[in-house]
Amino acid sequence: MPTQSKEFDAFYVATAKRVVATVYAMTGDLAEAEDAVQEAYVRAWQRWDRLMREGDPLPWVRTVAVRLAISTWRRTRNRMLAHFRHGPQADLPGLSADRVALIGALRELTAEQRQVVVLHHLLDLPVEQVARETGASSGAVRTRLSRARKILGERLADATVPSERVVSHG
């Protein structure tokens, strides 16, 4: 048993921050991402022997964390909609203007589009693995990526163009 515990601890230390970042990028809510990821690791620990026999446990943990976060998001949809209407909190520490623009643009995607963008572009997973993790076909993943890239391209281009106001001093 001590070996199992050490293996799990090493796995957790090596992967947890990236899984939190992944789920945060998909949900836009750090607290919910952290909660979902912690619950996913608890569930992984409960199945650790089976997960290790099946191979790499990381896709399983990431999938469970995403599903938990999406489930939480659905249960709290009204609160999230109010958050989207009023924008992000003004006092978020350490967020650059680029990161704020990216998070805002990601929020404009559907949950499915956001999920494939994060898995493919932020985690560098191939389309086929994204399809396996999301339960979608490779074609559906490609379509979601294409549509998401178009939306992100438009939103991020808008965010980088400085707004110019002409003031007349008549």
Side-chain angles (χ1 to χ4, degrees), residues 41-95:
Y41 279 100
V42 166
R43 292 180 185 188
W45 171 247
Q46 295 167 343
R47 298 164 178 78
W48 189 245
D49 287 338
R50 183 177 60 90
L51 290 173
M52 289 304 291
R53 281 193 307 273
E54 293 174 0
D56 182 9
L58 182 58
W60 186 92
V61 169
R62 187 170 41 238
T63 298
V64 169
V66 167
R67 287 180 181 161
L68 287 167
I70 289 171
S71 176
T72 298
W73 181 81
R74 287 181 179 147
R75 284 191 311 267
T76 59
R77 183 172 295 171
N78 288 337
R79 182 179 60 80
M80 295 295 286
L81 289 173
H83 177 75
F84 290 147
R85 273 194 302 272
H86 301 294
Q89 297 173 354
D91 61 346
L92 289 177
L95 294 180

Side-chain angles (χ1 to χ4, degrees), residues 8-143:
F8 182 82
D9 289 349
F11 169 72
Y12 178 84
V13 167
T15 60
K17 285 184 181 180
R18 188 150 191 192
V19 176
V20 168
T22 299
V23 177
Y24 173 55
M26 289 181 194
T27 64
D29 187 315
L30 182 58
E32 285 184 22
E34 290 171 339
D35 289 347
V37 169
Q38 287 303 320
E39 178 63 23
Y41 279 100
V42 166
R43 292 180 185 188
W45 171 247
Q46 295 167 343
R47 298 164 178 78
W48 189 245
D49 287 338
R50 183 177 60 90
L51 290 173
M52 289 304 291
R53 281 193 307 273
E54 293 174 0
D56 182 9
L58 182 58
W60 186 92
V61 169
R62 187 170 41 238
T63 298
V64 169
V66 167
R67 287 180 181 161
L68 287 167
I70 289 171
S71 176
T72 298
W73 181 81
R74 287 181 179 147
R75 284 191 311 267
T76 59
R77 183 172 295 171
N78 288 337
R79 182 179 60 80
M80 295 295 286
L81 289 173
H83 177 75
F84 290 147
R85 273 194 302 272
H86 301 294
Q89 297 173 354
D91 61 346
L92 289 177
L95 294 180
S96 68
D98 289 343
R99 181 170 284 181
V100 170
L102 177 60
I103 290 169
L106 285 169
R107 285 181 176 158
E108 294 189 30
L109 302 177
T110 66
E112 292 84 9
Q113 289 170 337
R114 193 167 43 247
Q115 184 178 26
V116 299
V117 165
V118 169
L119 292 173
H120 184 68
H121 290 292
L122 297 181
L123 296 182
D124 295 323
L125 299 181
V127 168
E128 294 73 25
Q129 186 171 352
V130 173
R132 282 192 302 273
E133 288 194 29
T134 61
S137 69
S138 294
V141 169
R142 286 185 186 91
T143 298

